[in-house]
Amino acid sequence: MGFKLVSLNLNGIRSAASKGVVEWAENLSADCMGVQEIKAQAPDMAGKFETMAGMEGHFHCAQKKGYSGVGLYTRHAPSAVITGLGVPEFDDEGRYVELRFDTPERKLSLISCYFPSGSSGDERQQAKYRFLAAIWPHLQALRAEREFILVGDVNIAHQEKDLKNWKGNLKNSGFLPDERAWMTRLLDPAAGIGLVDVYRRLHPDTTDECYTWWSNRGQARAKNVGWRIDYQLATPALAATARQASVYKDSWFSDHAPLTVEYDFSLT
């Protein structure tokens, strides 16, 4: 019994592969790995990345080359694969893949999702708000009918302890009041959807250890000036089975670090 689930923004699957991510995944022996920003199309994946570390990959690629794209690698065959939210603006960008592992006894999904970044300017920030508005009813509907874990780069640091320099980022994308309020509602069982931030369930107070992304500018990584923007967000019943969560920083495959959670459930 036990299920090891990873989330990692690759910042380009070919780049991450050149930095050893495949070998790392082979040693980790995860049951499932959600990846974001694969920055590749189906022909780029063919014969190279359809499988990784004994896991079969399922992908939602962007139409634009070298941009976005998400995937889920799994050891277990899904009962269904769903790509996209049904919103063309974001589905064209390859941001959502869901694997369903349904049986007569239960409905269960694993999702890899890449939320838009708004850091390049107001136009993309407005797109980010549209995405938050679009995915909300989708997650609400899922929550009503099934257990699920969404892993991915949410591009939002929820609380002050989730980034090093919170005071200097109060007006910056990723830590704006409306973004943080959206996260608060998402996690609120009374007023919102009631998902659980699994890392924070296990590590409620960590600061320096919790970061999953560092800017390439300056000495951000060397000085650990980071942000926690990668999450595993689970329905309460699945979140309650989480036993261990860790951010891997011994070697680097991208500007993000992998977030691994071990759960006490099985897909078989």
Side-chain angles (χ1 to χ4, degrees), residues 47-62:
K48 296 176 186 171
F49 301 118
E50 295 115 325
T51 63
M52 188 181 293
M55 298 180 286
E56 192 76 28
H58 303 270
F59 308 99
H60 186 209
C61 299

Side-chain angles (χ1 to χ4, degrees), residues 171-204:
K171 295 182 179 179
N172 290 338
S173 179
F175 200 58
L176 294 172
D178 287 349
E179 297 172 327
R180 296 171 63 199
W182 186 91
M183 282 293 295
T184 298
R185 283 202 313 279
L186 183 76
L187 303 174
D188 186 337
I193 294 176
L195 296 185
V196 177
D197 178 348
V198 176
Y199 177 88
R200 279 293 177 219
R201 179 184 170 273
L202 296 172
H203 300 285

